[in-house]
Amino acid sequence: MPEHEAGGTPTLEVRDFLRRRREQIAQRWADEPLFRTVFTVSRDEAVEAGKVIVDALAQVADSHRVEDPDAAGFTEVREQLARMGAARSRAGLSATQVSSELAALRPPVENLLVVDLDQAPPELLRECSVALGVLMGTLRLVAMQTALSEGQALIDRQRLQLLEVATPVIKLWDGIVAVPLIGTLDSARSQVVMETLLNAVVDQHARFAILDITGVQTVDSLVAQHLMKTVAAARLMGAECVVSGIRPAIAQTIVHLGLDLGTVKTRASLADALGYCLHELGANIVNAVPDGAGRR
């Protein structure tokens, strides 16, 4: 049995215990659901992952910051914990279930602590058990925080992708592109609209860009300003921007803001906007009539 230094603090005792029992802890963790279901290729891989986490816990205990999720020792294992949490989430487990699997890592360590300190004074064993419990609780907190952060980052990426999908750029004619907007416009989506439209102007060598907001019910003042900036930016890129489908409520918002539309081409509908652009390009529009083709 190891000898315990007189006056040694419980956290340092826990540190020494973790280092002594590193292999055994990792072996027991490898049989727990969290490790067993994440590291399915090789049990040795699960054991090695467990050792890395034990080393991190020992480093935290050495710093006497067992209750601090921002302790330096946790830095090295955050990415690994995030991968493990994400793997269990992809398997269909809820955050509560993942938390329960993390909590299941604590009993094997506590049981080993009792065996390791069986010759220690009862008071020291109690204090070490408390310190270890706090340390394992903090590990659980770090893992959940990391998993939630990764989940939020994934949601943000998917949200941006949805915004891009919901903001298609359509090539209507050689030199004419259009962005038909449907739904609610906010600042984030307005920014995506601007970037998407300007990229299309460059890629398609467009001379005209139609911004159709027929499907937009209303916009706030900030979004209206974004739309005006989009028009100005398109002009700087060498394209004339035509805004079509402005509803009465949106028109009132623009007027109340005092925005100058004197240099902006507006049309009542997308068809009217397309007709204007084609006319400016010198194209003739012909309507089919029962007796043949008639020129318009």
Coordinates of all heavy atoms in Angstrom, one line a residue, residues 1-5 8-29 50-51 53-62 66 105-120 124-136 139:
M1 N 0.8 -1.2 0.0 CA 0.0 0.0 0.0 C 0.9 1.3 0.0 O 1.9 1.3 0.7 CB -0.9 0.0 1.3 CG -2.1 -0.9 1.2 SD -3.2 -0.6 -0.2 CE -3.0 -2.2 -1.0
P2 N 0.5 2.3 -0.7 CA 1.3 3.5 -0.7 C 1.2 4.2 0.6 O 0.2 4.2 1.3 CB 0.6 4.3 -1.8 CG -0.8 3.8 -1.8 CD -0.7 2.4 -1.5
E3 N 2.3 4.9 0.9 CA 2.4 5.6 2.1 C 1.8 7.0 1.8 O 2.1 7.6 0.8 CB 3.8 5.7 2.7 CG 4.4 4.4 3.1 CD 5.8 4.5 3.6 OE1 6.3 5.7 3.6 OE2 6.4 3.5 4.0
H4 N 1.1 7.6 2.8 CA 0.5 8.9 2.6 C 1.2 9.9 3.4 O 1.4 9.8 4.6 CB -1.0 8.8 3.0 CG -1.7 7.7 2.3 ND1 -2.1 7.8 1.0 CD2 -2.1 6.5 2.7 CE1 -2.7 6.7 0.6 NE2 -2.7 5.9 1.7
E5 N 1.7 11.0 2.8 CA 2.4 12.0 3.4 C 1.6 12.8 4.4 O 0.4 13.1 4.1 CB 3.0 13.0 2.4 CG 3.9 12.4 1.4 CD 4.4 13.4 0.4 OE1 4.0 14.6 0.5 OE2 5.2 13.0 -0.5
G8 N -0.6 16.0 3.6 CA -0.9 16.1 2.2 C -2.3 16.5 2.0 O -3.2 16.0 2.7
T9 N -2.6 17.4 1.0 CA -4.0 17.8 0.8 C -4.7 16.7 0.0 O -4.2 15.9 -0.7 CB -4.0 19.1 -0.1 OG1 -3.4 18.8 -1.4 CG2 -3.1 20.2 0.6
P10 N -6.1 16.7 0.2 CA -6.9 15.7 -0.5 C -6.7 15.7 -2.0 O -6.7 14.7 -2.7 CB -8.3 16.0 -0.1 CG -8.2 16.7 1.2 CD -6.9 17.5 1.1
T11 N -6.6 16.9 -2.6 CA -6.5 17.0 -4.1 C -5.2 16.4 -4.5 O -5.2 15.8 -5.6 CB -6.6 18.5 -4.5 OG1 -5.6 19.3 -3.8 CG2 -8.0 19.0 -4.3
L12 N -4.1 16.6 -3.8 CA -2.9 16.0 -4.2 C -2.9 14.5 -4.0 O -2.3 13.7 -4.8 CB -1.7 16.6 -3.4 CG -1.4 18.1 -3.7 CD1 -0.2 18.5 -2.9 CD2 -1.2 18.3 -5.2
E13 N -3.6 14.0 -2.9 CA -3.8 12.6 -2.8 C -4.5 12.0 -4.0 O -4.2 10.9 -4.5 CB -4.5 12.3 -1.5 CG -3.7 12.5 -0.2 CD -2.7 11.4 0.0 OE1 -2.7 10.4 -0.7 OE2 -1.9 11.5 1.0
V14 N -5.6 12.7 -4.4 CA -6.3 12.3 -5.6 C -5.4 12.3 -6.8 O -5.5 11.4 -7.7 CB -7.6 13.2 -5.8 CG1 -8.2 12.9 -7.1 CG2 -8.6 13.0 -4.7
R15 N -4.6 13.3 -6.9 CA -3.7 13.3 -8.1 C -2.8 12.1 -8.1 O -2.6 11.4 -9.1 CB -2.8 14.6 -8.0 CG -1.7 14.7 -9.0 CD -0.6 15.6 -8.6 NE 0.1 15.0 -7.4 CZ 1.0 15.7 -6.6 NH1 1.3 16.9 -7.0 NH2 1.5 15.1 -5.6
D16 N -2.2 11.8 -6.9 CA -1.3 10.6 -6.9 C -2.1 9.3 -7.1 O -1.6 8.4 -7.8 CB -0.6 10.5 -5.5 CG 0.3 11.7 -5.3 OD1 0.7 12.3 -6.3 OD2 0.6 12.0 -4.1
F17 N -3.3 9.2 -6.6 CA -4.1 8.0 -6.8 C -4.4 7.9 -8.3 O -4.3 6.7 -8.9 CB -5.4 8.2 -6.1 CG -6.6 7.4 -6.7 CD1 -6.6 6.0 -6.6 CD2 -7.6 8.1 -7.3 CE1 -7.7 5.3 -7.2 CE2 -8.7 7.4 -7.9 CZ -8.7 6.0 -7.8
L18 N -4.7 8.9 -9.0 CA -5.0 8.8 -10.5 C -3.8 8.4 -11.2 O -4.0 7.6 -12.2 CB -5.5 10.2 -11.0 CG -6.9 10.7 -10.5 CD1 -7.1 12.1 -10.9 CD2 -8.0 9.8 -11.0
R19 N -2.7 8.8 -10.9 CA -1.5 8.4 -11.6 C -1.1 7.0 -11.3 O -0.7 6.3 -12.2 CB -0.3 9.4 -11.2 CG -0.5 10.8 -11.7 CD 0.6 11.7 -11.2 NE 0.4 13.1 -11.8 CZ 1.1 14.2 -11.4 NH1 2.0 14.1 -10.4 NH2 0.9 15.3 -12.0
R20 N -1.3 6.6 -10.0 CA -1.0 5.2 -9.7 C -2.0 4.2 -10.4 O -1.6 3.1 -10.8 CB -1.2 4.9 -8.2 CG 0.0 5.5 -7.3 CD 0.0 5.0 -5.9 NE -1.3 5.3 -5.2 CZ -1.5 6.4 -4.5 NH1 -0.5 7.3 -4.4 NH2 -2.6 6.6 -3.9
R21 N -3.3 4.6 -10.4 CA -4.3 3.7 -10.9 C -4.7 4.0 -12.4 O -5.8 3.6 -12.8 CB -5.5 3.7 -10.0 CG -5.2 3.3 -8.6 CD -5.1 1.8 -8.5 NE -4.9 1.4 -7.1 CZ -5.0 0.2 -6.6 NH1 -5.2 -0.8 -7.5 NH2 -4.8 -0.1 -5.3
R22 N -3.9 4.7 -13.1 CA -4.2 5.2 -14.4 C -4.7 4.0 -15.3 O -5.7 4.1 -16.0 CB -3.0 5.9 -15.0 CG -3.1 6.4 -16.5 CD -1.9 7.1 -16.8 NE -1.9 7.6 -18.2 CZ -1.2 7.0 -19.2 NH1 -0.6 5.9 -18.9 NH2 -1.2 7.5 -20.4
E23 N -3.9 3.0 -15.4 CA -4.2 1.9 -16.2 C -5.5 1.2 -15.9 O -6.3 0.9 -16.7 CB -3.0 0.8 -16.2 CG -3.3 -0.4 -17.0 CD -3.2 -0.1 -18.5 OE1 -2.5 0.8 -18.9 OE2 -3.9 -0.8 -19.3
Q24 N -5.7 1.0 -14.6 CA -6.9 0.3 -14.1 C -8.2 1.1 -14.4 O -9.2 0.6 -14.8 CB -6.8 0.0 -12.6 CG -5.7 -1.1 -12.3 CD -5.4 -1.2 -10.8 OE1 -4.7 -0.4 -10.3 NE2 -6.0 -2.2 -10.2
I25 N -8.1 2.4 -14.1 CA -9.2 3.3 -14.4 C -9.6 3.2 -15.9 O -10.8 3.1 -16.2 CB -8.9 4.7 -14.0 CG1 -8.8 4.8 -12.5 CG2 -10.1 5.6 -14.4 CD1 -8.3 6.1 -12.0
A26 N -8.6 3.3 -16.7 CA -8.8 3.3 -18.2 C -9.4 2.0 -18.6 O -10.3 2.0 -19.5 CB -7.5 3.6 -18.9
Q27 N -8.9 0.9 -18.0 CA -9.5 -0.4 -18.4 C -11.0 -0.5 -18.0 O -11.8 -1.1 -18.7 CB -8.7 -1.5 -17.7 CG -7.3 -1.7 -18.2 CD -7.2 -2.4 -19.5 OE1 -8.2 -3.0 -20.0 NE2 -6.1 -2.3 -20.2
R28 N -11.3 0.0 -16.8 CA -12.7 -0.1 -16.4 C -13.6 0.8 -17.2 O -14.7 0.5 -17.5 CB -12.8 0.3 -14.9 CG -12.1 -0.8 -14.0 CD -12.5 -0.6 -12.5 NE -11.8 -1.6 -11.7 CZ -12.0 -1.8 -10.4 NH1 -13.0 -1.1 -9.8 NH2 -11.4 -2.7 -9.7
W29 N -13.1 2.0 -17.5 CA -13.9 2.9 -18.4 C -14.1 2.3 -19.7 O -15.2 2.6 -20.4 CB -13.1 4.3 -18.5 CG -13.4 5.2 -17.3 CD1 -14.2 5.0 -16.3 CD2 -12.7 6.4 -17.1 NE1 -14.1 6.0 -15.4 CE2 -13.3 6.9 -15.9 CE3 -11.8 7.2 -17.8 CZ2 -12.8 8.2 -15.4 CZ3 -11.4 8.4 -17.3 CH2 -11.9 8.9 -16.1
G50 N -9.2 6.7 -22.5 CA -9.4 6.8 -21.0 C -8.1 7.3 -20.3 O -8.2 8.1 -19.4
K51 N -7.0 6.8 -20.7 CA -5.7 7.3 -20.1 C -5.5 8.7 -20.3 O -5.0 9.4 -19.4 CB -4.6 6.5 -20.7 CG -4.5 5.0 -20.3 CD -3.3 4.3 -20.9 CE -3.2 2.9 -20.6 NZ -2.1 2.2 -21.2
I53 N -7.8 11.0 -20.5 CA -8.7 11.7 -19.6 C -8.2 11.6 -18.2 O -8.3 12.6 -17.4 CB -10.1 11.2 -19.8 CG1 -10.6 11.5 -21.2 CG2 -11.0 11.8 -18.7 CD1 -12.0 10.9 -21.5
V54 N -7.7 10.5 -17.8 CA -7.2 10.3 -16.4 C -6.0 11.3 -16.2 O -5.9 11.9 -15.2 CB -6.7 8.9 -16.2 CG1 -6.0 8.8 -14.8 CG2 -8.0 8.0 -16.2
D55 N -5.1 11.4 -17.2 CA -4.0 12.3 -17.1 C -4.5 13.8 -17.0 O -3.9 14.5 -16.2 CB -3.1 12.2 -18.4 CG -2.4 10.9 -18.4 OD1 -2.2 10.3 -17.4 OD2 -1.9 10.5 -19.6
A56 N -5.5 14.1 -17.7 CA -6.1 15.5 -17.6 C -6.6 15.7 -16.2 O -6.4 16.8 -15.6 CB -7.2 15.6 -18.6
L57 N -7.3 14.7 -15.6 CA -7.9 14.8 -14.3 C -6.8 15.0 -13.2 O -6.9 15.8 -12.3 CB -8.7 13.6 -13.9 CG -10.0 13.5 -14.7 CD1 -10.7 12.2 -14.4 CD2 -11.0 14.7 -14.5
A58 N -5.7 14.3 -13.4 CA -4.5 14.4 -12.5 C -3.9 15.8 -12.6 O -3.5 16.3 -11.6 CB -3.5 13.3 -12.8
Q59 N -3.8 16.3 -13.8 CA -3.3 17.6 -13.9 C -4.2 18.7 -13.3 O -3.7 19.6 -12.6 CB -3.1 18.0 -15.4 CG -2.5 19.3 -15.7 CD -2.4 19.6 -17.2 OE1 -2.5 18.7 -18.0 NE2 -2.1 20.9 -17.5
V60 N -5.5 18.5 -13.4 CA -6.4 19.5 -12.7 C -6.3 19.4 -11.2 O -6.2 20.4 -10.5 CB -7.9 19.2 -13.2 CG1 -8.8 20.0 -12.4 CG2 -8.0 19.5 -14.6
A61 N -6.2 18.1 -10.7 CA -6.0 17.9 -9.3 C -4.7 18.5 -8.8 O -4.7 19.1 -7.7 CB -6.1 16.4 -8.9
D62 N -3.7 18.5 -9.6 CA -2.4 19.0 -9.2 C -2.5 20.5 -9.1 O -1.7 21.1 -8.3 CB -1.4 18.6 -10.3 CG 0.0 19.0 -9.9 OD1 0.5 18.7 -8.7 OD2 0.7 19.7 -10.7
V66 N -10.2 21.6 -8.8 CA -11.1 20.5 -9.2 C -12.5 20.9 -9.5 O -13.2 20.2 -10.1 CB -11.1 19.4 -8.0 CG1 -9.7 18.8 -7.9 CG2 -11.5 20.1 -6.7
L105 N -19.2 7.1 -15.3 CA -17.7 6.9 -15.2 C -17.2 7.1 -13.7 O -16.1 6.7 -13.4 CB -17.0 8.0 -16.1 CG -17.3 7.9 -17.6 CD1 -16.6 9.0 -18.3 CD2 -17.1 6.5 -18.1
R106 N -18.0 7.7 -12.9 CA -17.6 8.0 -11.5 C -17.5 6.8 -10.6 O -16.4 6.7 -9.9 CB -18.5 9.1 -10.9 CG -18.2 9.5 -9.5 CD -19.1 10.6 -9.1 NE -19.0 10.9 -7.7 CZ -19.6 11.9 -7.0 NH1 -20.4 12.7 -7.7 NH2 -19.5 12.1 -5.7
P107 N -18.5 5.9 -10.5 CA -18.4 4.8 -9.6 C -17.1 3.9 -9.7 O -16.5 3.6 -8.7 CB -19.7 4.0 -9.9 CG -20.6 5.1 -10.4 CD -19.8 6.0 -11.2
P108 N -16.7 3.6 -10.9 CA -15.5 2.7 -11.0 C -14.3 3.4 -10.4 O -13.4 2.7 -9.8 CB -15.3 2.5 -12.5 CG -16.7 2.7 -13.1 CD -17.3 3.8 -12.3
V109 N -14.2 4.7 -10.6 CA -13.0 5.5 -10.0 C -13.1 5.5 -8.5 O -12.1 5.3 -7.8 CB -12.9 6.9 -10.6 CG1 -11.7 7.6 -10.1 CG2 -13.0 6.8 -12.1
E110 N -14.3 5.8 -8.0 CA -14.5 5.8 -6.5 C -14.2 4.5 -5.9 O -13.7 4.4 -4.8 CB -15.9 6.3 -6.2 CG -16.2 7.8 -6.6 CD -17.6 8.2 -6.2 OE1 -18.5 7.4 -6.2 OE2 -17.7 9.4 -5.9
N111 N -14.6 3.4 -6.5 CA -14.4 2.1 -6.0 C -12.9 1.8 -5.9 O -12.4 1.2 -4.9 CB -15.1 1.0 -6.8 CG -16.6 1.1 -6.7 OD1 -17.1 1.6 -5.8 ND2 -17.3 0.6 -7.7
L112 N -12.2 2.2 -6.9 CA -10.7 2.0 -6.9 C -10.1 2.9 -5.8 O -9.0 2.5 -5.2 CB -10.1 2.4 -8.3 CG -10.2 1.3 -9.3 CD1 -9.7 1.8 -10.7 CD2 -9.4 0.1 -8.9
L113 N -10.6 4.1 -5.6 CA -10.1 5.0 -4.6 C -10.2 4.3 -3.2 O -9.2 4.4 -2.4 CB -10.8 6.3 -4.6 CG -10.3 7.3 -3.5 CD1 -8.9 7.8 -3.8 CD2 -11.3 8.5 -3.4
V114 N -11.3 3.7 -2.9 CA -11.5 3.0 -1.6 C -10.5 1.9 -1.4 O -9.9 1.8 -0.4 CB -12.9 2.5 -1.5 CG1 -13.1 1.6 -0.2 CG2 -13.9 3.6 -1.5
V115 N -10.2 1.2 -2.5 CA -9.2 0.1 -2.4 C -7.8 0.7 -2.3 O -7.0 0.2 -1.5 CB -9.3 -0.8 -3.7 CG1 -8.2 -1.8 -3.7 CG2 -10.7 -1.5 -3.8
D116 N -7.5 1.7 -3.0 CA -6.2 2.3 -3.0 C -5.9 2.9 -1.6 O -4.7 2.9 -1.2 CB -6.1 3.4 -4.0 CG -4.7 3.8 -4.3 OD1 -3.9 3.1 -5.0 OD2 -4.3 4.9 -3.8
L117 N -6.9 3.5 -0.9 CA -6.6 4.2 0.3 C -7.2 3.4 1.5 O -7.6 3.9 2.5 CB -7.3 5.6 0.3 CG -6.8 6.5 -0.8 CD1 -7.4 7.9 -0.6 CD2 -5.2 6.7 -0.7
D118 N -7.2 2.0 1.4 CA -7.8 1.2 2.5 C -7.0 1.3 3.8 O -7.6 1.1 4.8 CB -7.9 -0.2 2.0 CG -6.6 -0.8 1.8 OD1 -5.6 -0.1 1.6 OD2 -6.5 -2.1 1.7
Q119 N -5.8 1.7 3.7 CA -5.0 1.9 5.0 C -4.9 3.3 5.4 O -4.3 3.6 6.4 CB -3.6 1.4 4.7 CG -3.5 -0.1 4.3 CD -4.0 -1.0 5.4 OE1 -3.8 -0.8 6.6 NE2 -4.8 -2.0 5.0
A120 N -5.5 4.2 4.7 CA -5.5 5.7 5.0 C -6.5 6.0 6.2 O -7.5 5.2 6.4 CB -5.8 6.5 3.8
L124 N -9.2 11.2 6.0 CA -8.5 11.4 4.7 C -9.3 10.8 3.5 O -9.4 11.4 2.5 CB -7.1 10.9 4.7 CG -6.3 11.1 3.4 CD1 -6.1 12.5 3.0 CD2 -4.9 10.4 3.6
L125 N -9.7 9.5 3.8 CA -10.5 8.9 2.7 C -11.8 9.6 2.4 O -12.1 9.8 1.2 CB -10.9 7.4 3.2 CG -11.7 6.6 2.2 CD1 -11.0 6.5 0.9 CD2 -12.0 5.3 2.8
R126 N -12.4 10.2 3.4 CA -13.7 10.9 3.2 C -13.3 12.2 2.4 O -14.0 12.5 1.4 CB -14.3 11.3 4.5 CG -15.7 12.0 4.4 CD -16.2 12.5 5.7 NE -15.3 13.6 6.2 CZ -15.5 14.8 5.8 NH1 -16.3 15.2 4.8 NH2 -14.7 15.8 6.3
E127 N -12.3 12.9 2.8 CA -11.9 14.1 2.1 C -11.5 13.9 0.6 O -11.9 14.6 -0.3 CB -10.8 14.9 2.8 CG -11.3 15.4 4.2 CD -10.1 16.1 4.9 OE1 -8.9 15.9 4.5 OE2 -10.4 16.7 6.0
C128 N -10.8 12.8 0.4 CA -10.4 12.4 -0.9 C -11.6 12.0 -1.8 O -11.6 12.4 -3.0 CB -9.4 11.3 -0.9 SG -7.7 11.8 -0.3
S129 N -12.5 11.4 -1.2 CA -13.7 11.0 -1.9 C -14.5 12.2 -2.3 O -15.0 12.3 -3.5 CB -14.6 10.1 -1.0 OG -14.0 8.8 -0.8
V130 N -14.6 13.2 -1.4 CA -15.3 14.4 -1.8 C -14.6 15.2 -2.9 O -15.2 15.6 -3.9 CB -15.4 15.4 -0.5 CG1 -15.9 16.7 -0.9 CG2 -16.3 14.8 0.5
A131 N -13.2 15.3 -2.8 CA -12.4 15.9 -3.9 C -12.6 15.2 -5.2 O -12.8 15.8 -6.3 CB -11.0 16.0 -3.5
L132 N -12.5 13.9 -5.2 CA -12.7 13.1 -6.4 C -14.1 13.3 -7.0 O -14.3 13.4 -8.2 CB -12.4 11.6 -6.1 CG -12.6 10.7 -7.3 CD1 -11.6 11.1 -8.4 CD2 -12.4 9.2 -6.9
G133 N -15.1 13.3 -6.1 CA -16.5 13.5 -6.6 C -16.6 14.9 -7.3 O -17.3 15.0 -8.3
V134 N -16.0 15.9 -6.7 CA -16.1 17.2 -7.3 C -15.4 17.2 -8.6 O -15.9 17.8 -9.6 CB -15.5 18.3 -6.4 CG1 -15.4 19.7 -7.1 CG2 -16.3 18.4 -5.1
L135 N -14.2 16.6 -8.7 CA -13.4 16.5 -9.9 C -14.2 15.8 -11.0 O -14.3 16.3 -12.2 CB -12.1 15.8 -9.7 CG -11.2 15.7 -10.8 CD1 -10.8 17.0 -11.4 CD2 -9.9 14.9 -10.4
M136 N -14.8 14.7 -10.7 CA -15.6 13.9 -11.7 C -16.8 14.7 -12.1 O -17.3 14.7 -13.3 CB -16.0 12.6 -11.1 CG -14.8 11.6 -10.9 SD -13.9 11.3 -12.4 CE -15.1 10.5 -13.4
L139 N -15.6 17.3 -14.6 CA -15.4 16.6 -15.9 C -16.7 16.4 -16.6 O -16.8 16.7 -17.9 CB -14.8 15.2 -15.7 CG -14.6 14.4 -16.9 CD1 -13.6 15.0 -17.9 CD2 -14.2 13.0 -16.6

